[in-house]
Amino acid sequence: MTDAGCDDRTVLPATEPVPGAATATPPAGGPRAEALIELDAVRHNVALLSGAAARSGAETMVVVKADGYGHGAPGVARAALSAGATRLGVATLDEALAVRSAGIDAPLLSWLHLPDEDFAAAVAAGVELSVSSREHLAAVLAGARAAGRPVRLHLKADTGLSRNGCPPGEWAGLVDDAEVAAADGTAELTAVWSHLARADEPGDPSIDAQAARLHEAVAHVRARGFAPLRHLANSAATLTRPDLHLDLVRTGIAAYGLDPIAQPADSPLRPAMTLRGRVALVKTVPAGEGVSYGHEFVSTGPRVLALVPLGYADGVPRRGNDRGRMRVRIGGTIRPVAGRVCMDQFVVDCGTPGALEVAVGDPVELFGTGAADGPTAREWADELGTIHYEIVTGIKGRVRRTVRDGGGA
Ligand SMILES: *Cc1c(COP(=O)(O)O)cnc(C)c1O
């Protein structure tokens, strides 16, 4: 990750940050651990992203894999489609079928499969399928024949990520097979696409190199008389490279309000997830007491401590406070975590007695919109040397998800 590129945002207007409703005090007696999802924030973000894509003449696919990046795929999908997205994307067939089971019939692409999966069910459910090899294509076509309807294919080219995708040397063979399937009505050649390795490093030469390889792969398919959609841009490229919007952008993380490159205070994106808990116990300890496993925090004087019942089994990283820099919002202010995060709980240092009014049952915000200098998922990620994607997709365990839908943006 890099900070480069915050100045070359040509795509989204900078706006005043909208204070999230999530910063309001939750009702007393709420869940002990809760991920609050604001669908209005998703709508707001998707409206910005799809507006930018539309200015380039591109459609917007919102990626709802990993259960909507931990936000709940069905709610996110519906909110995205109501805000300008026209397509959805997932990694796996199970994820695709879950979207369909939720009654969502928008165009939907699934892209990461083993060749022995049940493609018939996916084709029957109208799921568009990506293929990266002749072996995968043969399996998908068998599924289409079993389902009795043509499959809409997205041929994936490996343009330099060396992960999924068909390498250039195998492209002609894959297109040969797809051409036969298109001719006999088993398949429609819907799209040619690829994925970028370093889109979050604007200006990196690999981005243009990958785009050039995609254009070669497309040219090959066009030369056979097809007119496939072309798609390449993830969130980072959607934000920084309007010239790479092509026919369709695939936005994941930015739809959830998290900027893949840098999030300035005036970022127009609104984080949609707030993780919060409630104080389970309050106590005062004298000077010299060690707090939590390993006694990494030792009180220097009398301290008020608040116990919060979320831990690494819930997705709060055990190493999150290794450098003593984890902070939460409690009692209307920001306070540091004291000592190590445990499996089920951690402790907040509420200062000297009387410094902060804090009581059992009080709400604690672990991360959220960042409004009023609140803690953020990015802050956690920076501390751990990872990315906020891993933080929000990692919330699990006993955290209850509450999806709030204000019905607007
Ligand atoms: C996850 C994923 C995306 C979305 O990426 P973001 O960085 O979250 O926008 C797009 N395309 C593919 C192939 C993906 O796997």
Side-chain angles (χ1 to χ4, degrees):
M1 305 298 293
T2 164
D3 281 343
C6 20
D7 295 327
D8 55 357
R9 293 315 167 79
T10 52
V11 170
L12 300 185
T15 56
E16 287 298 304
V18 183
T23 54
T25 305
R32 55 184 272 152
E34 180 178 43
L36 174 68
I37 310 303
E38 297 280 7
L39 293 185
D40 284 354
V42 173
R43 275 195 203 88
H44 165 88
N45 300 325
V46 172
L48 286 174
L49 295 162
S50 63
R55 284 191 288 283
S56 314
E59 283 184 72
T60 298
M61 171 189 290
V62 167
V63 180
V64 296
K65 64 190 180 188
D67 200 12
Y69 287 43
H71 294 63
V76 169
R78 279 192 210 95
L81 293 166
S82 75
T86 52
R87 294 169 174 268
L88 301 169
V90 294
T92 73
L93 295 186
D94 284 348
E95 291 174 336
L97 294 178
V99 168
R100 287 290 186 251
S101 299
I104 297 164
D105 59 8
L108 169 62
L109 173 64
S110 178
W111 56 67
L112 185 57
H113 316 117
L114 278 95
D116 59 358
E117 294 194 52
D118 184 2
F119 294 111
V123 176
V127 177
E128 302 182 4
L129 294 169
S130 172
V131 293
S132 296
S133 77
R134 295 179 102 160
E135 184 187 8
H136 284 85
L137 176 57
V140 163
L141 295 176
R145 283 189 286 270
R149 61 182 275 186
V151 55
R152 291 171 65 85
L153 292 176
H154 293 235
L155 301 186
K156 186 167 193 185
D158 182 357
T159 57
L161 179 60
S162 305
R163 207 176 64 174
N164 207 353
C166 178
E170 296 172 25
W171 188 247
L174 180 63
V175 178
D176 283 345
D177 291 0
E179 190 174 13
V180 171
D184 71 18
T186 316
E188 291 167 27
L189 212 168
T190 300
V192 171
W193 72 299
S194 193
H195 192 43
L196 294 167
R198 303 179 73 172
D200 58 348
E201 300 170 60
D204 188 89
S206 69
I207 299 169
D208 286 330
Q210 286 199 256
R213 285 186 179 174
L214 178 66
H215 289 309
E216 281 169 32
V218 169
H220 186 104
V221 171
R222 281 184 172 162
R224 313 248 193 139
F226 295 99
L229 297 173
R230 304 154 302 153
H231 52 105
L232 179 64
N234 56 5
S235 291
T238 300
L239 292 167
T240 59
R241 291 293 301 264
D243 59 314
L244 299 183
H245 288 173
L246 306 181
D247 298 311
L248 174 63
V249 299
R250 301 185 310 274
T251 55
I253 199 73
Y256 302 94
L258 301 174
D259 190 307
I261 300 166
Q263 198 129 3
D266 64 350
S267 168
L269 297 173
R270 286 165 58 183
M273 180 189 290
T274 295
L275 180 64
R276 61 195 192 184
R278 295 171 64 222
V279 174
L281 185 71
V282 179
K283 69 175 65 170
T284 303
V285 295
E289 287 296 322
V291 177
S292 194
Y293 292 130
H295 283 175
E296 281 169 13
F297 177 97
V298 178
S299 57
T300 50
R303 287 322 258 191
V304 176
L305 302 176
L307 181 67
V308 182
L310 284 94
Y312 61 78
D314 304 298
V316 182
R318 180 171 179 276
R319 315 208 52 184
N321 197 40
D322 271 8
R323 290 190 281 181
R325 299 208 293 217
M326 187 175 165
R327 56 197 198 108
V328 299
R329 192 197 305 275
I330 184 171
T333 188
I334 304 293
R335 295 297 311 171
V337 169
R340 226 178 253 168
V341 175
C342 311
M343 184 185 295
D344 315 306
Q345 52 198 304
F346 64 88
V347 176
V348 181
D349 170 13
C350 297
T352 52
L356 178 65
E357 226 172 273
V358 56
V360 168
D362 279 0
V364 181
E365 183 183 321
L366 284 77
F367 66 73
T369 64
D373 192 38
T376 61
R378 170 180 299 276
E379 204 173 285
W380 285 25
D382 289 348
E383 193 60 26
L384 294 159
T386 183
I387 52 178
H388 44 34
Y389 296 69
E390 188 175 1
I391 302 299
V392 293
T393 59
I395 301 306
K396 59 185 176 178
R398 298 150 292 195
V399 178
R400 184 191 300 177
R401 182 187 294 142
T402 304
V403 178
R404 187 149 71 191
D405 190 354

